[in-house]
Amino acid sequence: SWSAISELIDEGYDEILQTIEWYFTDSIYPKLANHFANKTFFIRPSSSSIHLKISDYLKAALIVGGPEAANAAFETALLLGFSDVILVGFDFGCLDKNKPRALNALDYSPRNFKEPVAGNLGKTIYSQPSLLVCAQSMSVVLRNYRHIHVTRIGHGVKIDEINDNYHSLNEVLNSCS
């Protein structure tokens, strides 16, 4: 969000931010995108009619492109050709309704986790309707990219199309050795 990036700029991280490759939706707040030298914009198909005019549109379009930035980032990685992906933080909920954010999270937005749903590691996850839509959107994308292998770290809403679910990065690394 603009407030989180603005804080980083105020704290003197502007030069570091300039070295990162950023991927933005075409609907991003313009003031945010102007702070980054290395940037690529993409169009979300559900928010544009450009696909009606350009036949090559689908080669560069995200299938769903949202509803959250995490979904768009994941789709961008797939569109760029990544075939083995590790997801960290794609939980779409939490284990404890009273602790909806990770310790030291960069930004804060209120969450109302009241809906108990099946978790990927066998425990109940608490979510909210908007994040359940995000999980469903990810499921739709994964059904269109069946050739990729997706590994997920941490507890989250169960998504059947994810190949492997692990508790920690160490567990993933141990499985590779």
Side-chain angles (χ1 to χ4, degrees):
S1 73
W2 168 245
S3 60
I5 297 298
S6 182
E7 275 183 47
L8 290 172
I9 292 168
D10 291 344
E11 292 172 14
Y13 291 101
D14 197 33
E15 285 185 32
I16 293 171
L17 294 174
Q18 290 288 330
T19 65
I20 300 170
E21 180 72 32
W22 291 86
Y23 294 88
F24 296 106
T25 174
D26 63 341
S27 60
I28 190 73
Y29 179 49
K31 192 172 182 180
L32 178 64
N34 288 337
H35 282 276
F36 305 102
N38 304 315
K39 56 190 166 204
T40 301
F41 292 92
F42 61 87
I43 298 168
R44 292 184 178 193
S46 61
S47 66
S48 173
S49 61
I50 194 168
H51 64 281
L52 299 174
K53 299 282 184 189
I54 299 174
S55 61
D56 287 339
Y57 171 75
L58 292 177
K59 293 178 187 172
L62 302 179
I63 293 169
V64 178
E68 295 286 337
N71 296 79
F74 175 67
E75 274 192 72
T76 300
L78 300 180
L79 192 62
L80 290 171
F82 289 89
S83 60
D84 199 3
V85 180
I86 297 176
L87 300 176
V88 180
F90 284 74
D91 48 36
F92 307 113
C94 64
L95 281 171
D96 183 345
K97 292 188 270 191
N98 298 316
K99 295 180 185 173
R101 290 285 183 201
L103 184 65
N104 299 319
L106 180 63
D107 198 14
Y108 178 78
S109 59
R111 300 284 193 198
N112 189 13
F113 294 126
K114 290 185 176 179
E115 294 197 35
V117 296
N120 62 321
L121 294 170
K123 292 190 175 184
T124 298
I125 299 296
Y126 296 94
S127 191
Q128 63 184 36
S130 64
L131 291 178
L132 291 173
V133 169
C134 294
Q136 290 168 349
S137 295
M138 180 165 275
S139 180
V140 167
V141 169
L142 287 169
R143 278 183 255 146
N144 284 279
Y145 284 92
R146 293 187 184 272
H147 65 283
I148 67 159
H149 184 268
V150 180
T151 300
R152 185 181 192 190
I153 299 173
H155 289 276
V157 172
K158 184 173 176 31
I159 299 173
D160 290 331
E161 293 80 8
I162 291 179
N163 305 96
D164 298 309
N165 291 279
Y166 292 95
H167 289 87
S168 68
L169 180 57
N170 284 336
E171 194 178 346
V172 173
L173 296 174
N174 289 336
S175 75
C176 296
S177 53

